[in-house]
Amino acid sequence: MAQLLLEIFSEEIPARMQAKAEADLLNAVLKGLKDAGLEPEASRSMSGPRRITTVLDGVPVRSADTEEERKGPKVGAPEQAVAGFLRGAGLSDISEAEIRTDPKKGDFYVAVKKIEGRDTSDIVAELVPNIIRNFHWPKSMRTGRGELRWVRPIQRIVCVLDGKTVPFEIDGHESGNVTEGHRVHGRGPFTVTNAAEYEAALSGEGHVMLTRDARRAKIETEAKAVCEAVGLELVEDKGLLEQVVGLAEWPNVVLGEMDPAFLSLPPEVIQLSMRVHQKYFAVRDPKTGALAPNFVVVANIAAADGGTAIAKGNRKVLSARLDDGRFFWDNDKKTGLEAMVPKLGTIKFKDELGSIGDKVERVAALARELAPKVGADADLAERAARLAKADLVSEMVYEFPELQGVMGRYYALEAGEPAAVADAIRDHYKPQGPSDAVPTDPVGIAVALADKLDTLVGFWAIDEKPTGSKDPFALRRAALGVVRIVLENGVRLNLDSFSEFPAQSLRKQWLVDKIIKNCRFPVSKGEPFEASEGNLGHIDLRPNRIVWPNKTEYVFGSIEEAARHFEDLVNVLRVTEPIALVGAEFLPTSTSEDGALIYTVSLGELAEHEEPTEVIPGFDGLPSLLSFFADRLKQYLRDQGQRPDLIDAVFALGEDDLVLITRRVEALGAFLETEDGANLLAGYKRAANILKAEEKKDKRTFDGDVDAALLEAPAEKALYQALVTGVAAAKAGLEAEDFAAAMSALASLRGPVDAFFEGEGSVMVNADDAGVRENRLNLLNMMRAAIGSVADFGKIGG
């Protein structure tokens, strides 16, 4: 058995790519050797800023001899068939083939080709260049020497098997047994014949820590130690730690200081500047929890002065970065959050859904509607929603998009907004992942729900739904966010009605945009607009449709809906004069407190009209959106240990209050785990199957009332009485939202159902008397309906 050492040494590999490349190289080598009939006993891999390495132990020095068989024609087959077989098998005469016997098919020819094993060095010499040429990197480059693409230019390839170099060449790079170490402390070169020499040379004189685990442990330990030595505490950042593990071959931790004046900036700005631009760790005072005027930097060199010069140089670089942050912070405070809001109208959200400013208007209206449901102040919820996206146009968020919402909170507090409004601005993006916390303050809950519901309804309205693994607008995350916010805060919300509200807002927005587009002179939303012969005077309201000046028609569900949308339009455009229409009139009948005219519609005899040329969006996707919520709820409850089929069974009832659905699913799950529940489920399925078969045969449904006078057998009488009592008890439990009581009422049916189907007194449903048969089928339907009032047991497995 031999050892294979493979190192691909290049210029600096991006830190984010190293771990995957390490695993991919190892897997590619293992797969290639396995395909060649070689199975190593053990394997390991290493990676760093300039190298990825694979080590295989217990590799056979030669692949085993094998035989390849090719089945031929029957003995005595025509000469043409035999000749074709010989050509395909590479035989010169049929006597070189073996004859074998099949008990059913008789004798037939078999060509047996013996394939000699190959030296492992020859296999590796072919395999490694092929792996390198076809290796996948997220981004790669080609050097001037040839067509080879690699993440960065390759400098050396070490390939040693059993102490000897495996010779091959790829685009001018010849394999060898020479590697090199750290650029400053131990460049080498080092000649190696096995993995032990390789690791000893590099980790010693070469000053290279080869494994990610070793570098990670050293950085983490030393970073905590240098902070504790001066009474401070490292702000842990696992993501940043993984980055710096890939940046230094010989990591040395240095504690630096920064100007304390920068601590007046929001801590998130300081941390993000350190993390994104400089790859520094932040440090805090454990007594106060506030950031300290220090930072931790990981150097790739062991400095003779202990890192003093390194700390000083990094302080200058960080100061320049934080000066930029202070400039953005000061400018944004001067502008003010409210002054940023109008700029949102210039940023496109989605072509069909308008600008971010349009979205803000819709979210603000929905947040006001949701506020009473979540116990929030409606004015605060609307205010928070109107300001929630404003920081997107701030200089700070332009520089650090990760701070959206966070900076909005700071700017809101600077402007004197209530804390609830400021916190809602920060929290309305939450949760942004499965481990992220959900908003818990009522105002934050209202705005977060409104934002996510508006996004979901909008994309459903324009049929931009997630497909397969593609979800470019993170709609699955938004829906799961709604589910988590609702359930973890116990929010009682009917998703159907609150999904319709943003749909109405979208209809209204669409209508306004269309009329502005079709008017004969420019009109701006929100500005006073005076009707005249040249614009709105030519709008024609006809049955189920509105016709604009260019004669394009837009269809509505009814005349009333068309009138309602026209009234919306009058309100949004703040029309100050009466508008006469063909076949109808909108006339001011009174004046509101703020002086605005209140319109009523008078519909007369409206003439028929030709077919419309354009249909207004129907937003018929809401049922599929509720189904989408059901899928996300399944995912959430499955993680909580609940069965997906129980969620389907409850959703089938048309319920859209997620809190009630969850409570009902939990009660149903507990009930089905009991003997009564399992037996009742079996009885339900038996009754449902009988009804399905008989309804198909009779081509009708059995949904009539049960005639007590036609009940003959004691078992059917007992079942009827149990159903009458159980239905009432279950109904009372459901109305009181006491699902345990409703399940208990169902449990009382178990005995009568068992007696009806099993035992000496069981009942024959298909009686000879047609009246008795139909009555018994109606009784089974009564039982199906009673059990189905709690959940659709037909969707439950088992």
Side-chain angles (χ1 to χ4, degrees):
M1 294 293 184
Q3 182 188 73
L4 174 65
L5 167 65
L6 173 64
E7 178 201 68
I8 303 174
F9 184 86
S10 68
E11 294 182 16
E12 273 68 10
I13 304 168
R16 69 183 186 280
M17 301 182 188
Q18 293 170 20
K20 186 175 187 304
E22 174 187 332
D24 288 349
L25 180 63
L26 175 62
N27 292 335
V29 173
L30 288 173
K31 182 179 184 302
L33 292 180
K34 183 178 180 181
D35 292 343
L38 299 171
E39 293 275 0
E41 293 176 351
S43 63
R44 52 200 171 95
S45 59
M46 296 163 272
S47 65
R50 296 194 294 158
R51 71 196 79 219
I52 49 176
T53 305
T54 290
V55 178
L56 303 182
D57 292 310
V59 182
V61 295
R62 184 179 176 84
S63 63
D65 296 341
T66 59
E67 289 185 347
E68 184 180 281
E69 293 186 354
R70 185 186 181 102
K71 186 176 180 181
K74 292 182 180 180
V75 174
E79 289 185 9
Q80 289 181 333
V82 173
F85 168 62
L86 293 176
R87 284 194 302 272
L91 303 180
S92 58
D93 189 87
I94 194 64
S95 62
E96 297 176 8
E98 295 182 6
I99 297 176
R100 296 184 184 176
T101 301
D102 186 296
K104 295 182 179 179
K105 297 182 179 180
D107 295 342
F108 61 92
Y109 292 110
V110 175
V112 179
K113 184 178 180 180
K114 293 184 178 180
I115 303 173
E116 291 187 4
R118 300 176 63 200
D119 288 340
T120 301
S121 60
D122 294 336
I123 295 172
V124 171
E126 290 180 5
L127 173 64
V128 174
N130 186 54
I131 290 174
I132 293 174
R133 285 192 181 96
N134 296 287
F135 200 84
H136 174 72
W137 293 97
K139 289 184 179 180
S140 60
M141 61 173 60
R142 181 172 60 84
T143 60
R145 287 198 250 183
E147 296 301 316
L148 176 65
R149 299 190 68 88
W150 198 249
V151 62
R152 294 291 185 270
I154 291 177
Q155 296 182 344
R156 296 177 184 272
I157 300 174
V158 174
C159 191
V160 176
L161 178 70
D162 200 18
K164 299 177 182 178
T165 299
V166 178
F168 60 83
E169 181 270 338
I170 177 170
D171 270 28
H173 299 286
E174 293 186 2
S175 60
N177 62 351
V178 177
T179 186
E180 62 183 79
H182 193 281
R183 277 197 175 98
V184 176
H185 295 305
R187 193 178 190 101
F190 304 100
T191 301
V192 297
T193 60
N194 55 52
E197 290 182 6
Y198 172 81
E199 292 177 57
L202 289 179
S203 61
E205 189 180 344
H207 287 76
V208 173
M209 299 187 74
L210 286 165
T211 68
R212 298 178 62 81
D213 289 342
R215 296 195 300 275
R216 184 186 299 108
K218 185 175 190 292
I219 293 169
E220 198 166 17
T221 301
E222 289 188 4
K224 290 179 179 178
V226 296
C227 291
E228 290 172 1
V230 292
L232 299 175
E233 183 179 66
L234 182 73
V235 176
E236 292 194 17
D237 188 332
K238 296 297 183 183
L240 178 57
L241 178 61
E242 288 304 308
Q243 286 189 63
V244 297
V245 161
L247 295 175
E249 289 186 307
W250 193 249
N252 285 274
V253 173
V254 176
L255 180 67
E257 296 181 354
M258 68 178 187
D259 186 347
F262 287 122
L263 294 179
S264 62
L265 288 170
E268 293 87 351
V269 173
I270 298 172
Q271 286 184 254
L272 206 57
S273 292
M274 290 181 178
R275 186 183 199 276
V276 173
H277 295 303
Q278 304 307 129
K279 307 297 184 289
Y280 301 162
F281 290 90
V283 178
R284 64 181 164 227
D285 184 340
K287 297 176 182 177
T288 63
L291 290 183
N294 298 86
F295 59 89
V296 168
V297 60
V298 179
N300 191 29
I301 188 171
D305 64 355
T308 302
I310 292 175
K312 186 177 180 181
N314 280 279
R315 172 184 172 128
K316 290 180 180 179
V317 176
L318 180 60
S319 293
R321 291 293 185 183
L322 293 179
D323 274 332
D324 290 342
R326 184 154 53 191
F327 176 78
F328 300 144
W329 169 245
D330 292 340
N331 278 0
D332 288 339
K333 286 194 296 181
K334 284 180 189 176
T335 302
L337 197 61
E338 186 147 14
M340 299 178 191
V341 173
K343 296 179 184 178
L344 296 175
T346 65
I347 304 175
K348 187 181 293 183
F349 175 59
K350 190 80 170 67
D351 282 340
E352 303 90 331
L353 300 175
S355 66
I356 294 181
D358 293 325
K359 177 177 175 61
V360 164
E361 290 296 322
R362 298 193 302 268
V363 172
L366 181 55
R368 174 170 279 278
E369 288 290 317
L370 285 167
K373 284 285 185 179
V374 301
D377 181 280
D379 292 335
L380 292 181
E382 182 178 355
R383 178 65 176 168
R386 291 193 182 281
L387 298 176
K389 306 289 185 185
D391 66 348
L392 293 178
V393 298
S394 68
E395 294 184 33
M396 187 71 80
V397 172
Y398 183 84
E399 179 72 12
F400 298 113
E402 303 93 330
L403 293 180
Q404 62 180 12
V406 173
M407 296 312 301
R409 175 181 178 274
Y410 284 112
Y411 297 144
L413 292 174
E414 286 287 327
E417 296 289 342
V421 170
D423 290 344
I425 293 171
R426 177 196 61 198
D427 295 341
H428 84 282
Y429 291 106
K430 294 181 178 182
Q432 293 187 309
S435 59
D436 194 15
V438 302
T440 55
D441 180 78
V443 176
I445 292 170
V447 179
L449 285 175
D451 184 43
K452 291 168 178 58
L453 286 173
D454 175 80
T455 297
L456 288 163
V457 171
F459 280 97
W460 248 251
I462 62 175
D463 201 26
E464 291 263 6
K465 304 167 188 172
T467 56
S469 61
K470 295 181 179 179
D471 186 11
F473 303 105
L475 301 180
R476 291 188 180 95
R477 185 176 70 187
L480 185 58
V482 170
V483 170
R484 287 190 56 203
I485 291 170
V486 166
L487 294 184
E488 293 179 28
N489 289 291
V491 176
R492 302 299 300 277
L493 194 67
N494 296 105
L495 287 177
D496 193 3
S497 59
F498 280 98
S499 296
E500 176 60 28
F501 189 89
Q504 292 175 3
S505 296
L506 280 168
R507 290 190 189 100
K508 183 174 177 179
Q509 174 192 315
W510 189 89
L511 205 60
V512 171
D513 290 342
K514 283 294 181 182
I515 194 169
I516 291 175
K517 180 180 178 181
N518 286 293
C519 279
R520 297 182 181 178
F521 64 87
V523 180
S524 298
K525 286 181 283 187
E527 295 182 3
F529 177 68
E530 186 171 335
S532 70
E533 185 65 23
N535 45 71
L536 290 179
H538 288 289
I539 294 178
D540 182 8
L541 179 64
R542 302 206 176 213
N544 300 6
R545 52 181 64 90
I546 288 179
V547 184
W548 304 128
N550 64 1
K551 301 304 180 187
T552 301
E553 299 177 33
Y554 303 100
V555 170
F556 296 92
S558 65
I559 295 174
E560 291 75 15
E561 186 181 0
R564 174 167 56 82
H565 281 292
F566 196 87
E567 287 185 291
D568 286 341
L569 202 61
V570 168
N571 291 333
V572 171
L573 292 177
R574 295 169 61 191
V575 178
T576 57
E577 297 291 335
I579 305 172
L581 299 101
V582 178
E585 285 187 324
F586 283 83
L587 299 173
T589 56
S590 61
T591 304
S592 64
E593 292 181 1
D594 60 359
L597 298 176
I598 298 176
Y599 285 80
T600 58
V601 60
S602 171
L603 294 173
E605 293 294 326
L606 302 180
E608 291 298 324
H609 206 69
E610 62 271 12
E611 287 300 310
T613 58
E614 184 171 348
V615 178
I616 206 162
F619 299 91
D620 295 327
L622 292 185
S624 69
L625 178 55
L626 293 178
S627 176
F628 187 68
F629 276 120
D631 290 338
R632 304 284 74 73
L633 181 62
K634 284 182 198 176
Q635 176 186 338
Y636 179 81
L637 292 182
R638 185 165 50 240
D639 293 341
Q640 308 297 317
Q642 296 294 342
R643 290 167 46 182
D645 58 337
L646 302 189
I647 303 169
D648 286 334
V650 174
F651 247 105
L653 302 180
E655 180 63 72
D656 63 346
D657 182 329
L658 298 184
V659 173
L660 278 187
I661 289 171
T662 302
R663 288 172 51 191
R664 194 178 290 213
V665 166
E666 291 169 349
L668 182 60
F671 173 61
L672 291 175
E673 288 177 359
T674 66
E675 185 180 356
D676 286 344
N679 286 343
L680 188 62
L681 174 62
Y684 172 90
K685 289 185 177 292
R686 185 168 180 178
N689 288 335
I690 293 172
L691 282 168
K692 182 179 179 180
E694 297 305 312
E695 286 173 346
K696 181 178 180 181
K697 183 169 66 177
D698 288 19
K699 296 181 180 180
R700 52 167 295 200
T701 56
F702 294 94
D703 53 4
D705 294 332
V706 176
D707 186 348
L710 293 177
L711 300 174
E712 298 176 347
E716 63 181 326
K717 292 179 181 179
L719 177 58
Y720 176 69
Q721 290 300 322
L723 285 172
V724 171
T725 305
V727 166
K731 183 178 180 181
L734 293 175
E735 289 177 351
E737 298 181 2
D738 185 349
F739 299 115
M743 300 301 166
S744 177
L746 291 185
S748 68
L749 300 177
R750 183 263 175 103
V753 169
D754 288 350
F756 184 89
F757 286 117
E758 306 289 346
E760 295 182 1
S762 61
V763 177
M764 174 65 69
V765 176
N766 286 318
D768 295 333
D769 186 298
V772 172
R773 171 180 175 272
E774 180 167 348
N775 199 53
R776 287 175 178 173
L777 289 171
N778 286 336
L779 180 63
L780 291 185
N781 182 67
M782 182 180 177
M783 169 187 153
R784 180 173 64 180
I787 298 175
S789 66
V790 173
D792 185 347
F793 274 57
K795 294 186 178 295
I796 300 175

